Amino acid sequence: MLNTPFHIKDIAGYVFFSERTTGKTGKPVKIHSSLFIDFFCAVDPTTHDGQVIIRDIENLKVLARPNTIPHIPLPQGNASTARHNAQMQKVRTLNNAMAGKQECSLVTKNVRVFYHIHQNAGDVCPTVYISEVQVLHESNNSEGGLYEYKSRRIGKVQKRDLDGRLVLISQASASPEEAMESAVTSLGNKAVVFFNPKFVANDLSISRSNRLSDKTRSIINELADVLKHNQKKSVAWLVDGAGAAVLSHALKKVQGGLEKHSFRFRNARVNLSSLMNDLTQRKAQLNGEFITYDGDKVALMAIAIQKQALLKQIGQLPSPTGYEKITRRYLIKNLEGLGSVSWTQKVTAQPEVLRSSKATFLSVLISIGSRLK
Amino acid sequence: MIFPENITGPQFSVGDFVTYQFDDCELTLRLPVVPHNTDKVDDVSPRRDYRNVNTRDWRPLGEQGFTFTRLAVQKWKYECERTHDNIASCYMTVSVLKHTLKDADSLFSLNSETFQEHHLQVIHADFSDYEQTKGDEWPSASNNFLAKTITRPVLDGLQVQLDLVDGAEAPTLGALFSLGKEYTLNIEWSFSSLHYPDRQNPYSRELLHKMKFELFDEFLSFIDIEYSPETLALIQKLKTA
């Protein structure tokens, strides 16, 4: 009798990973369709890194090993008693069942793939079932926090005093230099940057809530301290990418209003409607076209997922006056358009569509990705 | 260049030739072909002619009067061929510094000695408030920012190491070359070791440190500056004066 591993609950949700892994050569490799949105956000098949990851997953058809727990052989000779044999049989059954349920992992670049090898009803041979995909970005030892130019050096801001300053809360970036370059390009030479190292993106995903690591928690606490220190001062913030998720968590640790703070968001990778709700309650300023987007597919996914809530939240902002009426109208029109982009709807619908389709996971990923061009 | 121990990455020897025109010279760089990735940085200035250029919107560098614009900003990664892990990242900026009118008139940049002296003076002034506490291998005023001459046929360049970012694991390598009376080429090169949250970089710090210097030297070896006949004559005149 076949034991279905307890992780594989929804066997009908598994689809072939790609045309190369349908079992014509090597073991078939299947992946659960519910992983589509995570995979779409983490792996771009048009990039060098994305292609290496896809090739490595495809190679599981040859390289995947069934399990590492050895099967216990039958006892040799007649030395054992019947009772002993019965006990050994029990142990063997349990051990072999555990071996079948054992989860293996493939680690390649920033992706960890967890899989089981199993032969279910309908499978012509043992098949690789991918049940989980995790993304862990690589990083260096750069420290997060506030940075500014001091003469020609990029130095940490010691007193956290941001009165009258323009501050970029950076996207998850490789180094303070990269974040500072983005800040200066967007906000000018006197800009300050709150640098978010790459590891924050490991914990702050738009499609699932992960447990926050100590390092990410410390970045969130640092931003919360900066906000508290400058609560009564006038600060203009530009919030980029995953920086919006850091801000969203940091605000939970700050009591009171932010009346003199203005916020703009660029490619926000967060549930923006709830963040806006929080900022509106704190009387923060959200003026002009305060939500912008310039080609980040994860940010566009975030807009598509929460389009209605976002539009509703904008509708609850104080009525605009003068020229603001026009910019508000443009903002709403833009968001309506971005939220209705056909491929974003396709991506969100894909986990369900893939189940009943004969297409492979990768062919759908590539066909939707090509619409981004 | 042959990379050590299964490391792969962009090779400068097959990079793109990019040429910029200046009033006193023509500069040719060999920029690496950066693999397409979501986090890549590959901004190369579309402007190739910097003769009579409007410099009013150039950014200030330090506090000694230099302004600059970027010719190229690139970031690429090196990976382990065996595990496919990204093991090191290189962030490079190539900028043109504009001299102040007074400095340009002094012709400091048309003589190897005065060029190096002047830039070292500026670096000492810009880093006057900087206190180095990280040990002898880090640059400071006392070790003259680990400066050394980059020997070239017409005008020598200057190589320095600078602690440009708080908390960086290693100093930034810098190289300066004269682009004639009014401009200096400024290259800044940061090289950092990468690791994943669940494991350390398998390559030693020493190996990556050595690789950083070899890569930097190789990049510099492809820089070609052809001075105009008038500038060459002026350089020669100053040499014999």
Side-chain angles (χ1 to χ4, degrees):
Chain A
M1 194 185 107
L2 294 168
N3 290 314
T4 303
F6 60 89
H7 297 78
I8 303 179
K9 284 177 182 162
D10 174 23
I11 202 76
Y14 283 83
V15 295
F16 287 114
F17 181 71
S18 75
E19 288 297 333
R20 291 183 59 216
T21 62
T22 53
K24 286 173 193 157
T25 56
K27 294 184 203 77
V29 179
K30 289 183 172 181
I31 184 167
H32 201 276
S33 57
S34 65
L35 300 173
F36 190 83
I37 297 176
D38 277 349
F39 204 86
F40 178 83
C41 293
V43 178
D44 183 345
T46 65
T47 62
H48 167 72
D49 283 352
Q51 285 170 12
V52 171
I53 290 165
I54 287 167
R55 219 162 39 233
D56 283 350
I57 293 176
E58 286 181 333
N59 287 344
L60 278 176
K61 68 180 182 175
V62 179
L63 300 174
R65 294 278 171 264
N67 55 59
T68 51
I69 298 178
H71 281 240
I72 298 174
L74 285 166
Q76 298 295 311
N78 299 321
S80 310
T81 62
R83 187 165 170 270
H84 177 70
N85 276 348
Q87 279 177 335
M88 284 303 292
Q89 185 63 34
K90 255 185 171 179
V91 171
R92 200 165 52 245
T93 310
L94 183 66
N95 182 77
N96 292 348
M98 276 174 69
K101 288 173 184 176
Q102 197 194 6
E103 195 170 52
C104 309
S105 67
L106 164 77
V107 178
T108 177
K109 283 197 180 282
N110 55 342
V111 168
R112 279 103 189 88
V113 173
F114 295 89
Y115 62 89
H116 302 82
I117 299 179
H118 202 73
Q119 186 167 1
N120 284 295
D123 289 340
V124 290
C125 58
T127 301
V128 179
Y129 285 90
I130 298 174
S131 53
E132 171 71 334
V133 173
Q134 286 180 358
V135 180
L136 295 172
H137 294 281
E138 80 275 6
S139 56
N140 53 28
N141 292 325
S142 300
E143 252 183 69
L146 278 178
Y147 288 83
E148 66 178 343
Y149 267 117
K150 292 174 177 171
S151 185
R152 69 164 78 180
R153 293 189 76 238
I154 298 172
K156 277 223 157 192
V157 178
Q158 298 302 340
K159 291 181 182 167
R160 293 179 175 162
D161 191 356
L162 299 176
D163 197 17
R165 305 291 296 267
L166 302 171
V167 187
L168 174 81
I169 299 180
S170 82
Q171 57 178 313
S173 309
S175 65
E177 287 139 290
E178 222 177 297
M180 197 71 203
E181 190 72 16
S182 170
V184 169
T185 311
S186 312
L187 302 172
N189 295 325
K190 301 283 180 198
V192 179
V193 67
F194 184 89
F195 162 61
N196 285 310
K198 271 209 160 176
F199 60 75
V200 303
N202 296 339
D203 302 341
L204 304 170
S205 152
I206 60 159
S207 57
R208 62 165 99 179
S209 51
N210 294 335
R211 199 171 65 83
L212 298 180
S213 67
D214 289 346
K215 279 166 134 187
T216 303
R217 263 204 210 106
S218 117
I219 294 285
I220 290 167
N221 290 340
E222 171 76 20
L223 182 59
D225 288 347
V226 170
L227 284 164
K228 282 179 204 161
H229 190 85
N230 293 282
Q231 201 157 7
K232 301 288 170 212
K233 292 166 187 159
S234 167
V235 188
W237 303 87
L238 171 62
V239 189
D240 210 351
V246 178
L247 173 67
S248 177
H249 279 86
L251 284 172
K252 290 176 192 156
K253 297 174 187 291
V254 180
Q255 303 288 321
L258 291 165
E259 292 85 354
K260 291 183 173 177
H261 293 239
S262 74
F263 290 88
R264 284 188 295 139
F265 298 93
R266 184 169 64 190
N267 299 328
R269 293 181 172 197
V270 71
N271 183 344
L272 200 51
S273 54
S274 71
L275 175 56
M276 269 175 60
N277 183 31
D278 192 351
L279 290 172
T280 314
Q281 284 177 4
R282 292 166 191 270
K283 298 193 167 58
Q285 298 159 39
L286 299 166
N287 299 327
E289 289 184 63
F290 62 89
I291 301 171
T292 55
Y293 159 81
D294 61 14
D296 181 271
K297 67 175 184 177
V298 181
L300 191 50
M301 284 294 305
I303 292 174
I305 291 169
Q306 46 172 325
K307 179 185 157 189
Q308 292 309 328
L310 202 52
L311 291 172
K312 191 178 163 199
Q313 195 58 47
I314 292 174
Q316 288 170 1
L317 290 175
S319 294
T321 53
Y323 190 73
E324 272 288 296
K325 281 182 186 170
I326 298 169
T327 50
R328 178 72 58 85
R329 207 166 62 217
Y330 276 128
L331 178 67
I332 292 169
K333 217 172 169 181
N334 274 345
L335 288 173
E336 278 175 341
L338 288 170
S340 310
V341 174
S342 63
W343 67 259
T344 54
Q345 291 167 342
K346 278 207 161 212
V347 174
T348 46
Q350 222 35 249
E352 280 310 308
V353 174
L354 258 174
R355 297 170 76 98
S356 52
S357 145
K358 285 191 174 169
T360 64
F361 193 86
L362 186 61
S363 65
V364 175
L365 190 75
I366 291 171
S367 84
I368 294 178
S370 66
R371 286 161 204 249
L372 283 163
K373 303 286 171 284
Chain B
M1 178 178 161
I2 299 167
F3 296 129
E5 295 182 27
N6 301 318
I7 296 175
T8 58
Q11 288 278 10
F12 299 123
S13 55
V14 290
D16 292 330
F17 286 110
V18 187
T19 300
Y20 299 94
Q21 298 280 340
F22 292 92
D23 294 315
D24 296 338
C25 67
E26 187 178 274
L27 164 71
T28 303
L29 302 169
R30 199 149 195 195
L31 297 177
V33 178
V34 179
H36 175 56
N37 274 321
T38 43
D39 62 348
K40 74 167 180 178
V41 179
D42 190 14
D43 299 328
V44 180
S45 164
R47 174 187 272 274
R48 295 294 150 89
D49 191 346
Y50 284 82
R51 289 174 297 189
N52 294 318
V53 68
N54 178 5
T55 59
R56 276 194 301 180
D57 58 348
W58 287 21
R59 286 158 54 181
L61 179 82
E63 287 156 353
Q64 311 305 311
F66 279 134
T67 54
F68 76 97
T69 190
R70 299 272 195 231
L71 295 182
V73 182
Q74 289 185 303
K75 185 186 83 177
W76 63 90
K77 289 182 276 194
Y78 293 94
E79 64 183 66
C80 171
E81 213 167 26
R82 209 162 31 81
T83 60
H84 297 155
D85 282 354
N86 294 322
I87 52 111
S89 154
C90 198
Y91 185 78
M92 175 180 77
T93 60
V94 181
S95 318
V96 186
L97 308 186
K98 184 176 166 56
H99 308 158
T100 59
L101 273 178
K102 192 179 147 207
D103 287 345
D105 288 344
S106 74
L107 303 179
F108 83 90
S109 56
L110 298 184
N111 177 285
S112 294
E113 283 79 36
T114 53
F115 174 77
Q116 294 182 49
E117 275 167 22
H118 183 86
H119 278 295
L120 275 171
Q121 271 173 20
V122 168
I123 291 168
H124 276 271
D126 278 341
F127 283 77
S128 56
D129 294 338
Y130 167 70
E131 278 180 35
Q132 199 265 92
T133 53
K134 296 172 183 168
D136 292 343
E137 68 205 54
W138 280 77
S140 65
S142 60
N143 60 21
N144 209 23
F145 298 94
L146 302 167
K148 64 178 194 181
T149 303
I150 305 168
T151 312
R152 286 293 156 102
V154 181
L155 284 173
D156 293 340
L158 173 70
Q159 182 175 322
V160 286
Q161 293 188 46
L162 301 170
D163 184 7
L164 284 182
V165 186
D166 262 357
E169 64 186 62
T172 302
L173 292 176
L176 297 141
F177 294 96
S178 170
L179 296 175
K181 200 168 70 162
E182 286 185 75
Y183 302 109
T184 291
L185 177 69
N186 180 30
I187 297 158
E188 287 171 359
W189 176 287
S190 311
F191 188 89
S192 54
S193 157
L194 297 175
H195 58 85
Y196 292 86
D198 49 359
R199 60 191 188 277
Q200 288 301 308
N201 191 326
Y203 292 90
S204 69
R205 190 175 171 270
E206 290 70 31
L207 183 134
L208 294 175
H209 185 72
K210 187 166 168 271
M211 187 177 154
K212 169 175 91 167
F213 280 96
E214 286 173 0
L215 284 166
F216 190 58
D217 286 346
E218 199 194 14
F219 177 72
L220 296 186
S221 71
F222 286 113
I223 295 174
D224 183 55
I225 302 169
E226 295 287 334
Y227 298 98
S228 66
E230 297 79 18
T231 310
L232 277 174
L234 197 52
I235 291 168
Q236 201 54 41
K237 194 175 154 191
L238 287 167
K239 210 182 245 179
T240 51

